[in-house]
Amino acid sequence: MDSLSTTTAAAPRRSLAPSRGHLLALGLVVLALVAPFLLYPVFLMKALCFALFACAFNLLIGYVGLLSFGHAAFMGGAAYVTAHAAKVWGFPPEAAILLGTAAAAVLGTVFGWLAIRRQGIYFAMVTLALAQMLYFYALQAPFTHGEDGIQAVPRGRLFGLVDLGEPSNLAMYYFVLAMFLIGFFIIYRTIHSPFGQVLKAIRENEPRAISLGYKTEQYKLVAFILSATLAGLAGATKALVFQLASLTDVDWTMSGEVVLMTLVGGLGTVLGPVAGAFIVVTMENYLAQFGSWVTIIQGVIFVLCVLTFRRGVVGEIAHLLQRRAGRKES
Amino acid sequence: MVESAPVIGADHALTPTLSRKRKRGDERMIPLLHIPPQALFGQLLLGLINGAFYAMLSLGLAVIFGLLNIINFAHGAQYMLGAFCAWFLLNLAGVGYWPSLVIAPIAVALFGIVLERAFLRWIYRLDHLYGLLLTFGLAIIIEGLFRQQYGSSGQPYSIPPELTGVWNLGFMFLPIYRGWVIAASAVVCFGTWFLIERTRLGAYLRAATENPVLVQAFGINVPRMVTLTYGFGVGLAALAGVLAAPIYQVSPLMGSNIIIVVFAVVVIGGMGSILGSIVSGFALGLVEGLTKVFYPEASSTVIFVVMAIVLLLKPAGLFGRAA
């Protein structure tokens, strides 16, 4: 039996050399700091938003073993609320994002409360159906402006000081990076906390976790809410980056896309979703002019990943390193 | 559209979105609690037709899930393939509706068998979720290819001449084709139920669902049965597609629009019982039709709301065994 999560990359790396993980993290942060001078900032902001979205999604699938097929609801719901707050109510960006994220948390509480009653495939179908319900709501509700979406959302001044709308996009980029790092840190700490250990226990063997006295329902619900909230943070930030909240954000294809990113990068790995998001966003950028071919290629990648490449990019690398380390020891 | 103006219900034959937009405009003309019986029966008929498709599709999903333990996300795409297959047969080979009703499901079922042999059989030992992801990938490939070729707009497929026209039932006008769809799907559903619950072949199938290893030890070729079962489920989806072709337009997106609703139907009914998926399919179609009469804004979401309520009261589904 091949379990859904394929790696435990974090643990052996720490036992080998405690500093290696920190060095990697430091290197990546430095890279992220200089990146806007090397690459197009809007592309990087898009990738970072999706990376946070995928990390939030991975918290559920990778560490609790719950496949949510409706995460677009949280991303899109937060995007709509943030866009509406910033544009119609004139909220400053930090308040708009906070409100959007809170909306996603509320939505996550309701959806999670309903969905955790079922497991496995049913869980996926329930989340998909609930998200579709939100999609139809967004299609009809007046404040979302239907097919047009909420356009020309002002980015505003952060804390009244920093103008996020300045044309070089640098301020906005560092703001997005900060949002991503906050979200990523929360997820990292969650995974490596006692709470995270219980989540993994539920993933591996839920009846056993119950027999040990854990109220698994509550753990699953809290994980679901956390995942939804951070997906909301990603969506809220994305709404300010593109100054737009539209139906594509709540569409079921968006839910499929985040599954793809996580799968490509590596389910249940810390950095996998980030790598997956950058790969998928890059691919979409290059293929944007070919219309439906983007979807077709995404489908092909889905099939290939499931059939041959279940560990994903990061999972595969971690597996190789682990095998190498094992050989050295013996 | 061949059938036109005087028939109540016929003008809702467009996609659900379009008919909803229409309804919103009509709202002022229908005072609440004074609903003309024509509109009521028209919507109930429409609901029953949607229900017929929900029933056939959720039936196929349940049959496939029973033996393969895979949720066939490609079911909507295969339904769309059935409709397109009939359209191809008509426009490229001049083959009419009645032969298509047989040829298209068989062709799509063969395609399904190829998919099963080429892809699905490699993942039976894995977590069930991989089946969902794999068939999701297959679905977006198929739909993407058709969208690349035919765009998002629909291709018309006309009603066969034998089934055009309407019957006057006294209290309402029934377009003959709609009556035919309901009757045909009821027969198909009953036939499938009979095949699985009342024949020897069905007994093998049910036994293999419970314990494939033991059934194989009795000398029954379970892998072949798995392949044929997948083909059967896919063929059922394609048959629904052919029946749907003259009602809805033949469009690349017709499958993904309906499959999510069918998933909700499956969650409500539970996949444990064949009869359960048939009954819940028809019933939810009716609920949707009724909602269109009394509160049209909610007609696209009512099934999801019902799903949420069922989850609260009876988490295993109305007919389901604990999952």
Side-chain angles (χ1 to χ4, degrees), chain A residues 99-272:
Chain A
L99 194 68
T101 312
V106 172
L107 212 55
T109 312
V110 177
F111 283 16
W113 182 62
L114 287 167
I116 55 162
R117 286 153 202 269
R118 301 298 286 270
Q119 274 114 34
I121 297 175
Y122 284 101
F123 182 87
M125 290 194 287
V126 169
T127 45
L128 177 61
L130 290 172
Q132 191 70 358
M133 189 161 90
L134 189 83
Y135 172 84
F136 281 120
Y137 173 74
L139 192 66
Q140 290 176 326
F143 89 95
T144 58
H145 299 287
E147 306 275 350
D148 298 333
I150 307 178
Q151 298 175 356
V153 178
R155 282 182 181 171
R157 302 180 76 87
L158 186 64
F159 301 116
L161 299 170
V162 187
D163 182 13
L164 294 178
E166 47 89 35
S168 77
N169 273 323
L170 278 181
M172 189 68 204
Y173 172 80
Y174 287 113
F175 176 67
V176 172
L177 182 63
M179 288 296 128
F180 168 78
L181 287 176
I182 291 170
F184 188 81
F185 183 73
I186 292 173
I187 292 169
Y188 184 84
R189 285 310 312 156
T190 307
I191 294 168
H192 293 95
S193 68
F195 175 77
Q197 297 299 327
V198 178
L199 291 185
K200 281 176 231 171
I202 294 171
R203 176 189 76 191
E204 296 302 327
N205 192 340
E206 186 169 354
R208 177 121 173 80
I210 295 172
S211 78
L212 288 173
Y214 291 111
K215 289 190 169 143
T216 56
E217 302 269 293
Q218 288 178 4
Y219 279 88
K220 286 200 266 185
L221 182 57
V222 171
F224 193 94
I225 296 170
L226 189 61
S227 172
T229 310
L230 291 171
L233 178 62
T237 314
K238 183 170 163 286
L240 286 191
V241 170
F242 290 99
Q243 304 181 286
L244 172 73
S246 70
L247 284 175
T248 34
D249 296 336
V250 280
D251 196 53
W252 62 273
T253 47
M254 181 64 86
S255 299
E257 221 161 281
V258 73
V259 180
L260 179 68
M261 288 170 185
T262 314
L263 192 64
V264 168
L267 295 174
T269 59
V270 178
L271 283 177

Side-chain angles (χ1 to χ4, degrees), chain B residues 225-292:
Chain B
M225 200 149 88
V226 166
T227 307
L228 291 178
T229 303
Y230 188 72
F232 178 75
V234 171
L236 218 51
L239 180 64
V242 182
L243 286 173
I247 297 186
Y248 311 107
Q249 291 192 316
V250 180
S251 112
L253 296 177
M254 65 192 288
S256 57
N257 285 340
I258 199 168
I259 194 64
I260 301 178
V261 178
V262 172
F263 278 170
V265 171
V266 163
V267 172
I268 293 167
M271 279 188 293
S273 106
I274 297 292
L275 206 58
S277 51
I278 298 172
V279 171
S280 44
F282 277 104
L284 287 163
L286 280 178
V287 168
E288 205 179 38
L290 275 178
T291 317
K292 262 192 197 126

